Amino acid sequence: MKLKKYHNLPLDKFIDLSLYNKKFGYYMKKNPFGKKGDFITAPNISRLFSEMIAIWIIKFWQSLGSPKKFNLIELGAGNGEMMKIIIESFQNFPSFLECCNFVIFEKSPTLIKIQKKKLGKNKIVWISEIKKIKKNPAIFIGNEFFDAIPIKQFKRKKGIWFENYVNLENFDKAFFLKKKLISRI
């Protein structure tokens, strides 16, 4: 997307651009996680968080009837710490472990490299499009994932709907504006 042509972007496009643009997207060029990053997530503070998630996954798998093959999909695995601990926890449950296909949905090539370094010896498939998931029963997990989803934002004022946009004509003075969507209801 060429910004010169589009000064006003819907909020979801602005978030996507800010986080995932190949040249300057927040998640595309650096590792924002951990002591040297911008924030620390629960799996990096205590193993217990990921171990509890692992036990919940096993219990949920059992509630599905313990399918012989299923996908465990982590959405946005960050630095890979949660999946690493989850897989280590699953070592204590070999019959469960042999049924599990590990999948990580990740858009950032930089984070994929970090994840592969941490998780390399494990049998994991990385995807960047949800439609590439094998058609098996699936359990989705995602710590902090929803914080990074581009969203649309609407507001209703006096019976008229507006969508939030970001004006980027001047990067140093970007601002929100509302565009009218629907007349009075």
Side-chain angles (χ1 to χ4, degrees):
M1 174 181 295
K2 293 182 181 179
L3 285 179
K4 289 179 182 178
K5 197 173 183 183
Y6 303 98
H7 293 298
N8 297 325
L9 292 176
L11 184 60
D12 62 321
K13 301 286 186 213
F14 172 74
I15 293 170
D16 189 64
L17 182 73
S18 300
L19 298 179
Y20 304 111
N21 179 277
K22 289 179 182 175
K23 289 184 182 176
F24 57 80
Y26 180 77
Y27 291 114
M28 302 308 272
K29 296 293 182 187
K30 67 175 189 160
N31 179 5
F33 307 103
K35 291 179 184 177
K36 294 181 182 178
D38 294 330
F39 54 92
I40 298 175
T41 62
N44 297 108
I45 295 171
S46 171
R47 291 182 58 85
L48 184 57
F49 177 83
S50 301
E51 290 169 343
M52 290 188 316
I53 300 293
I55 297 305
W56 175 85
I57 292 166
I58 292 169
K59 191 69 180 156
F60 192 77
W61 169 74
Q62 290 171 338
S63 77
L64 294 174
S66 305
K68 297 280 184 230
K69 282 290 173 199
F70 80 100
N71 299 317
L72 176 62
I73 303 144
E74 184 172 7
L75 304 169
N79 63 8
E81 187 68 18
M82 186 165 81
M83 184 64 88
K84 176 183 167 281
I85 296 167
I86 285 173
I87 291 171
E88 288 170 1
S89 300
F90 290 164
Q91 301 302 320
N92 297 312
F93 304 91
S95 61
F96 167 84
L97 189 57
E98 65 187 49
C99 297
C100 188
N101 297 317
F102 295 100
V103 179
I104 293 178
F105 171 76
E106 182 64 66
K107 286 184 168 185
S108 168
T110 300
L111 291 178
I112 289 171
K113 284 179 191 172
I114 292 165
Q115 294 159 8
K116 284 185 175 182
K117 186 175 181 182
K118 187 171 278 192
L119 299 163
K121 66 181 189 257
N122 297 293
K123 216 173 150 185
I124 300 172
V125 174
W126 275 264
I127 61 170
S128 60
E129 295 179 38
I130 292 290
K131 63 185 175 186
K132 292 188 177 179
I133 296 171
K134 289 181 182 176
K135 293 188 182 337
N136 290 325
I139 298 173
F140 289 86
I141 57 173
N143 181 49
E144 309 278 344
F145 175 73
F146 294 103
D147 296 346
I149 294 178
I151 61 159
K152 287 196 169 287
Q153 192 176 58
F154 302 95
K155 185 170 183 169
R156 186 173 169 203
K157 188 174 180 180
K158 296 182 182 180
I160 300 171
W161 283 99
F162 297 87
E163 181 176 358
N164 272 342
Y165 276 65
V166 179
N167 180 285
L168 295 172
E169 193 167 345
N170 180 346
F171 270 52
D172 296 329
K173 295 182 182 179
F175 61 91
F176 289 102
L177 62 112
K178 296 182 183 343
K179 285 199 171 184
K180 185 175 170 181
L181 289 177
I182 303 172
S183 299
R184 274 186 190 274
I185 298 175

